Amino acid sequence: MRNSAYVCRMRLVRNRKVKLLEQLPLFHGCSDADLEYVAKLARDVRFDDGTTLLCQGTAGDEFFLLVEGGANVVADGRTIAHIRAGDYCGEIALLERINRTATVVAVGPVRTLVLHEPDFHAMLEAIPGLRARVSSAAFERLAHHAPQPSTDAPDHV
C-alpha cells in the first residue's frame, strides 16, 4: 500500500505539470484528461546555460517541451533558429526514425517537460489532433532547412 503522503505529493507534482502544459500552444484545446495523461508521462528536467539538449547526427529518443527559457537550434555549425518557452524539439527524429537533424543548446536556464520515445508515441495515439499538429510542424521545419537548389544550373536541359 502506498503512503498517503507520497500519493499526495505525486498528485501535486502532476498538477504542476498540468498547469505548465496548459500554457503550451501545442496543447491548446486539449481536455483536462488529456493534460493529465501527458503530465503522467512527462519528466520535469532543467538545464543550465550552455547545456546541449540534443545533438545533431545522434539517435533520438526524447521529445522536449520548453516551459521556461530558450535555446539555440544549430545545424551544420550554423544557428538556424531560437526556440523559447512554448516551443518543442526532438520530434523529427522520433517521427521519421532518423538521426537528430540539429543540435539544441540552452541559452540561460531552461526548464523542459521530456517524453521518452514510447511515451511520445503513446501521447500522439491517445490525443486526437496532436499527431497532425506535430507532424505538420516537423514537415515545415524540414522543408525550411532543406538545401535550396543551386542557381548555377543552366536554364535549359
Side-chain angles (χ1 to χ4, degrees):
M1 183 170 140
R2 287 192 176 179
N3 180 325
S4 63
Y6 172 79
V7 172
C8 185
R9 182 181 179 288
M10 293 310 296
R11 191 171 294 128
L12 251 173
V13 168
R14 195 166 50 243
N15 287 342
R16 285 189 206 132
K17 289 181 194 174
V18 167
K19 295 286 185 210
L20 293 171
L21 291 167
E22 287 173 338
Q23 299 171 26
L24 303 178
L26 178 62
F27 297 100
H28 288 176
C30 288
S31 69
D32 290 343
D34 291 341
L35 297 175
E36 272 280 327
Y37 178 72
V38 176
K40 287 178 188 175
L41 299 175
R43 290 179 308 124
D44 191 339
V45 181
R46 296 167 194 255
F47 297 93
D48 293 328
D49 180 44
T51 303
T52 299
L53 281 69
L54 49 95
C55 188
Q56 183 176 8
T58 62
D61 63 354
E62 293 177 314
F63 173 68
F64 297 84
L65 297 153
L66 274 72
V67 294
E68 292 175 7
N72 286 330
V73 180
V74 179
D76 300 322
R78 198 177 107 238
T79 300
I80 58 172
H82 180 78
I83 57 175
R84 59 188 51 85
D87 293 329
Y88 52 86
C89 59
E91 78 287 356
I92 294 171
L94 300 179
L95 289 170
E96 300 299 320
R97 301 209 190 290
I98 60 174
N99 286 342
R100 299 286 192 196
T101 58
T103 296
V104 177
V105 180
V107 176
V110 172
R111 183 178 185 188
T112 64
L113 293 177
V114 180
L115 283 91
H116 285 285
E117 184 174 14
D119 296 330
F120 170 76
H121 289 292
M123 173 188 74
L124 296 183
E125 290 299 318
I127 304 173
L130 274 191
R131 179 176 296 282
R133 287 184 207 171
V134 173
S135 294
S136 175
F139 178 78
E140 286 178 28
R141 289 178 187 186
L142 284 170
H144 180 71
H145 301 298
Q148 299 301 311
S150 172
T151 56
D152 297 336
D155 291 336
H156 62 282
V157 177

